[in-house]
Amino acid sequence: MTDFIKQAAHVKPSANQLRLLTETPFYAFIHFSPNTFTGLEWGTGDEDPSIFNPVNLDCDGWCRAIKSAGMKGAVITAKHHDGFCLWQTKTTDHSMKSSPYKDGKGDIVGELSDACRRHGLKFGFYLSPWDRNSKLYGTDEYNDFYKAQLTELLTNYGEIFHVWFDGACGEGANGKKQIYDFDGYFELIHKYQPNATVFNDKGPIRWCGNESGSSRYAEWSVVPSELCPNCEIQTSPGPFSGELSFMYNTDGNIGSLSNIMYSKGLVFAPSEVDMSIRPGWFYHEDEEPHSLDRLFDTYLRSVGGNTTFILNIPPKPDGTFDERDVKRLKELGDKIRESFSVNLAEGKKITVTPYCNSDTQCTVDIELEKEEKIRFLEFCEDIAEGQRIESFTVQMPKNGGWENLFEGTTVGAKRIVELGGISADRLRIFVTASRDKPIFGKIAVY
Ligand code: FUL
């Protein structure tokens, strides 16, 4: 058992997962399709392409708004479930070719990828496997058709940082369901865009399990291999292996000891929190953006809770972002910048001491030298080496002893703890359980 726990502590991210977690943890989603013009969330697939005409399309404006929130990339729905393609594809006429926009010569994927590069943002796309328009859907030929679409997107638009495979698998126009050839899709990505991360229900970047921006009490990136068949298994089976034949990505407990003991093996598959700035994924004029508090809180719990965060902003039918969303994005970016600008622990003494000679418990003392008002403690594990910390307590000195301010679980790529403006000249992180000796990355106080 102890060996197995040690092994779990050494399951490591791929270079692509590591890059996403540490360099690009916050990025934008853009849902744009005929739904934008019909008011639907799931198009039927028989929409007339002539309705898609974003006369004022402003991808530079999108990029400016995305950057103002501090996001580092953008992922657009190149095709949603309605099957309409936002690029010049050779695979179907249900696409920009049949739209009045730029007389059928428009290419939204191209316009956005160019704008992203001009603004220093990374670019990615969503290509819905579920296609309610294609007559081929539900047959083997559909997989070839889908792979041809994927190849066009992977080869004609420069570097792709993230490919988003929606797990939805409904019926097509002919009432048939499709068996998706995910292995074949993944192969194409590895061939043409080896540096891209892939979001799929079950990893390598996996769905957090809801669309409301919630993350778990404990977010583990090291999870049972049953959860991510597309990830590389890095351990031998758990001590009670075979008991766990499958897992749901919506389960509340993923990756804890009581869960991984039953696994056939372990893989590294971090979770991505996905949420829209408004109730719908597509634009609906009567909807308002979520409050700044809700968005900031989601940021703290996702980027600051060992997951990545993809935040959707739906363009309006004319191809611009709604002013209300632009304002909210800027407010969010300002709040993030203002909250994490002055690191009070910069250049200060930080001492890590094993607790009672234990390898897996330790204290981290942060001496601020003078009393400071503290809103956040931010700290990381060196996630390149794996995820280890199971639980910790944040403390401050009181009456010659220590007062507990916060009790937490996982840390991983980043943990942000809200401390509500307490005054202290010293903080202590007491790591109460870890799967192996903790290795810390940046430790900061704001
Ligand atoms: C879901 C889709 O059905 C929604 O329309 C949206 O695209 C969301 C991000 O994923 O599975």
Side-chain angles (χ1 to χ4, degrees), residues 29 31 41-42 80-81 126 164 166-168 211 274 281-282:
F29 220 168
H31 273 64
E41 277 289 315
W42 280 5
H80 201 251
H81 309 328
Y126 162 120
W164 221 90
D166 197 310
E211 294 184 344
D274 62 327
W281 290 103
F282 287 92

Side-chain angles (χ1 to χ4, degrees), residues 316-329:
K316 296 192 296 185
D318 75 348
T320 62
F321 279 173
D322 188 305
E323 276 312 310
R324 292 169 289 182
D325 297 346
V326 173
K327 183 167 170 274
R328 192 51 41 87
L329 289 171

Side-chain angles (χ1 to χ4, degrees), residues 160-176:
I160 303 295
F161 89 103
H162 200 46
V163 177
W164 221 90
F165 287 133
D166 197 310
C169 177
E171 289 180 359
N174 47 19
K176 287 194 200 154

Side-chain angles (χ1 to χ4, degrees), residues 79-83 128-146 149 166-182 185:
K79 174 182 90 169
H80 201 251
H81 309 328
D82 54 65
S128 172
W130 183 23
D131 187 322
R132 302 179 90 180
N133 175 267
S134 172
K135 301 284 173 288
L136 300 172
Y137 194 82
T139 68
D140 286 346
E141 288 76 49
Y142 177 78
N143 276 322
D144 295 334
F145 167 86
Y146 184 85
Q149 296 192 329
D166 197 310
C169 177
E171 289 180 359
N174 47 19
K176 287 194 200 154
K177 279 212 177 185
Q178 180 72 37
I179 298 173
Y180 301 137
D181 176 17
F182 275 117
Y185 309 165

